[in-house]
Amino acid sequence: MTMELERDIYQELIKWKKRDSGKVLELKGARQTGKTFILDKFARENYKQYLYINMAQSSGEEFMTCVEEAEVWSPGQPRVAKTLHRALQLFDSRFQDDKDTIIIIDEIQESSKIYSRIREFAREFQCHVIVTGSYLGKTVEKEYFLPAGDTEDLIMDTLSFEEFLGAMGKRDVYESIDLYGGDRHDLYDELKRLYDVYCEIGGYPAVVKQYLETKNKADCKRILRQVIRIFIEESTRYFQGIPDVNLFEQIFPAIAQLSAREKKGADDLIAELSKIIFKEESNRTTKRSINNAVAWLYRSDIIGYCGKAVECDSTDTRANMRFYFRDLGVADFFLKTGGIKSAALAGYINENFVYLDLLKRCRRMEIAGMAPMFGTYKTGEIDFFVSSIANDKDYGVEVKAGDAAAKTAHALLRDGRVEAVYFLKGGTYGGCDGRSITIPIYLVQRVEFNFERSRRMR
């Protein structure tokens, strides 16, 4: 029997169905995050009729044959209206264009012709349509027509820590445990143990299933290496020449090395990567190649950017100042591949964990910015600067919490630049000292960034 992991995005799909907005849903996410599985489950459980087309497989070729047949026209004859309707009827004679029908088009990036007709699916069909693909970065090429205004977006990440705990049967504990150490210490210790596992293996479904079956992290890392290898091999199909393909192999450890440096941010990330890879100053050709590779990783949901709030001012920001990985297992793998030592590796992984939570808050428009930001203040820095949209307050977030970090945090509090500072640590049960709040790092998803409300609840 196939092991099934519960995914939070299923409820977002249900909400999309109920909204019935008339827009096509574009489900984004990295390869092997479980997009096809969850869409298949959603379609079978919520619709009477389900048409699945994979543009990278035989069903895609068959559908394209139907499209070509539906578009056949001879001079002097009436033009065929709604050719996509006709093509779907040719593809499946049972097709009905109504609310009980869903069409899922997978790997849609493989056909610029079909991707460019998303607007027709949105405007001319009653049935629901979802398009998805692991390499949607390809759709920025000029032959792809971007259907602005006719789509809704959802992003499917690897399993979050909450979902991972759900697979381990511990999510109820996570959701109910006191943030400030008011519960039994053994409960916190168990969550911390599982957090350490999650930081090492990450959240790819195949990797998590392997851990559930064997509890062997070495087996999990073997599966993860396979996931990474397949991604690299498939991605190279979209690069033109051997130099670019070779560069793609080197870009991951270079990003890891750059990310783990103590220096927070760089004015030119591409130039810094060029120095690591080529051991020399970049030229126009190398910068263009690196930029293409980085853009591909970003659009493939493998890496994300972090910005900077200058002097912890949410109105004075700089975009794309630092990289983070979108999965902790991938981060751990490439940091070790890049020769990063244990102490620096642990610090970066913890920051990456917090980054992923803040990125989701940015998407939900809970905090300001298109991406999370770190903050500079006077001569110091703080790991993350959070500007809450809900209560119009600013907060500092410190992950490593060393002496220098505490100095900057206290300066921010003293000068009234932030409402509170959250210190996120692994070896703590939580606590509060005025506006300095200590939280177990693995509970960051439960932090509300609302100091007054948190104070009332304690």
Side-chain angles (χ1 to χ4, degrees):
M1 183 176 180
T2 303
M3 185 183 303
E4 183 175 323
L5 300 172
E6 291 188 14
R7 304 302 305 272
D8 294 345
I9 200 170
Y10 189 89
Q11 295 304 317
E12 296 303 315
L13 293 170
I14 295 292
K15 293 176 184 177
W16 170 77
K17 180 181 188 295
K18 291 180 177 179
R19 281 198 303 274
D20 191 22
S21 65
K23 296 183 179 182
V24 170
L25 179 64
E26 188 172 24
L27 181 62
K28 301 178 181 179
R31 190 190 190 283
Q32 296 193 349
T33 53
K35 298 186 299 297
T36 300
F37 177 85
I38 202 70
L39 289 178
D40 184 76
K41 174 181 171 65
F42 168 68
R44 294 186 186 282
E45 293 179 352
N46 293 279
Y47 293 87
K48 292 181 180 178
Q49 186 179 45
Y50 164 33
L51 275 67
Y52 176 78
I53 303 168
N54 189 316
M55 300 309 301
Q57 297 178 358
S58 58
S59 59
E61 295 177 3
E62 293 163 0
F63 180 59
M64 289 306 299
T65 299
C66 295
V67 171
E68 292 169 3
E69 177 67 23
E71 291 176 340
V72 170
W73 173 79
S74 298
Q77 298 297 315
R79 293 191 177 276
V80 180
K82 295 187 175 182
T83 55
L84 283 179
H85 285 77
R86 174 61 179 153
L88 287 163
Q89 289 166 351
L90 292 171
F91 182 77
D92 189 330
S93 61
R94 298 166 297 174
F95 170 70
Q96 297 290 325
D97 184 20
D98 57 37
K99 303 295 185 184
D100 291 323
T101 298
I102 186 168
I103 302 168
I104 294 176
I105 304 178
D106 205 348
E107 303 299 350
I108 193 171
Q109 78 279 349
E110 295 301 320
S111 173
S112 60
K113 182 172 183 178
I114 298 303
Y115 187 87
S116 299
R117 299 182 74 171
I118 286 177
R119 177 167 290 180
E120 292 178 52
F121 282 110
R123 299 185 180 187
E124 298 180 5
F125 284 78
Q126 295 298 312
C127 66
H128 291 171
V129 181
I130 300 178
V131 300
T132 187
S134 300
Y135 303 107
L136 293 174
K138 183 176 170 61
T139 62
V140 301
E141 296 176 3
K142 62 182 180 180
E143 63 264 31
Y144 290 81
F145 174 78
L146 299 179
D150 291 289
T151 61
E152 293 187 37
D153 292 345
L154 274 180
I155 300 176
M156 187 166 186
D157 298 299
T158 60
L159 270 77
S160 67
F161 184 54
E162 301 102 307
E163 291 172 319
F164 176 75
L165 288 175
M168 302 298 150
K170 298 293 182 179
R171 187 158 184 170
D172 287 347
V173 175
Y174 174 87
E175 291 177 345
S176 61
I177 199 167
D178 184 68
L179 286 178
Y180 309 101
D183 284 302
R184 297 194 334 256
H185 284 188
D186 63 296
L187 297 177
Y188 297 94
D189 294 341
E190 177 64 5
L191 292 180
K192 174 59 166 58
R193 183 187 70 80
L194 290 172
Y195 170 72
D196 290 340
V197 172
Y198 179 76
C199 284
E200 195 168 349
I201 70 170
Y204 274 96
V207 176
V208 173
K209 288 180 180 180
Q210 184 66 45
Y211 185 77
L212 286 169
E213 291 172 2
T214 68
K215 299 296 189 294
N216 188 309
K217 290 187 287 187
D219 288 343
C220 295
K221 292 176 184 180
R222 174 177 52 81
I223 298 295
L224 181 61
R225 285 195 297 271
Q226 293 174 0
V227 171
I228 293 169
R229 173 53 52 189
I230 291 171
F231 169 77
I232 291 174
E233 290 177 351
E234 291 183 347
S235 293
T236 54
R237 293 191 296 113
Y238 299 100
F239 289 84
Q240 299 300 315
I242 296 298
D244 283 346
V245 171
N246 292 339
L247 169 64
F248 200 73
E249 296 268 1
Q250 302 173 62
I251 197 76
F252 282 103
I255 287 174
Q257 290 174 24
L258 180 61
S259 299
R261 290 178 179 175
E262 284 299 317
K263 182 182 177 181
K264 293 294 189 71
D267 291 331
D268 190 340
L269 287 171
I270 304 304
E272 294 297 319
L273 282 175
S274 182
K275 293 176 185 177
I276 293 173
I277 295 171
F278 297 105
K279 311 302 181 187
E280 60 187 19
E281 291 295 329
S282 59
N283 56 44
R284 184 176 299 176
T285 301
T286 59
K287 288 189 70 172
R288 181 172 65 249
S289 296
I290 291 174
N291 189 63
N292 289 340
V294 168
W296 181 256
L297 293 176
Y298 174 74
R299 296 188 184 107
S300 298
D301 299 297
I302 301 298
I303 62 172
Y305 286 111
C306 185
K308 176 172 72 173
V310 179
E311 293 301 293
C312 286
D313 182 351
S314 60
T315 65
D316 186 3
T317 61
R318 306 288 186 271
N320 304 346
M321 298 294 292
R322 198 174 188 203
F323 295 115
Y324 285 98
F325 288 91
R326 295 283 295 275
D327 178 77
L328 294 188
V330 173
D332 180 84
F333 178 84
F334 283 112
L335 285 164
K336 289 176 180 175
T337 301
I340 308 305
K341 303 303 181 185
S342 297
L345 186 149
Y348 179 79
I349 291 291
N350 285 329
E351 281 188 28
N352 205 144
F353 178 75
V354 176
Y355 168 86
L356 292 173
D357 172 65
L358 297 179
L359 180 62
K360 292 176 182 178
R361 295 175 191 255
C362 289
R363 290 183 200 155
R364 298 192 298 259
M365 294 190 68
E366 295 176 7
I367 63 177
M370 298 298 292
M373 297 178 286
F374 66 88
T376 60
Y377 189 64
K378 296 182 178 178
T379 59
E381 295 164 345
I382 195 159
D383 285 330
F384 295 102
F385 173 76
V386 173
S387 183
S388 172
I389 293 176
N391 59 26
D392 203 30
K393 302 288 186 181
D394 295 333
Y395 299 87
V397 176
E398 189 56 47
V399 179
K400 295 185 294 296
D403 292 340
K407 182 178 179 180
T408 302
H410 293 150
L412 288 167
L413 288 170
R414 181 188 65 240
D415 297 345
R417 297 302 296 269
V418 294
E419 180 77 357
V421 174
Y422 290 86
F423 292 90
L424 306 178
K425 303 179 181 180
T428 185
Y429 300 117
C432 185
D433 180 11
R435 294 182 182 271
S436 295
I437 306 168
T438 302
I439 300 287
I441 189 170
Y442 46 84
L443 296 178
V444 65
Q445 289 87 351
R446 290 190 45 209
V447 173
E448 294 187 358
F449 293 112
N450 188 326
F451 176 74
E452 293 301 326
R453 175 177 168 83
S454 299
R455 186 171 61 177
R456 291 195 299 270
M457 294 178 65
R458 289 198 299 274

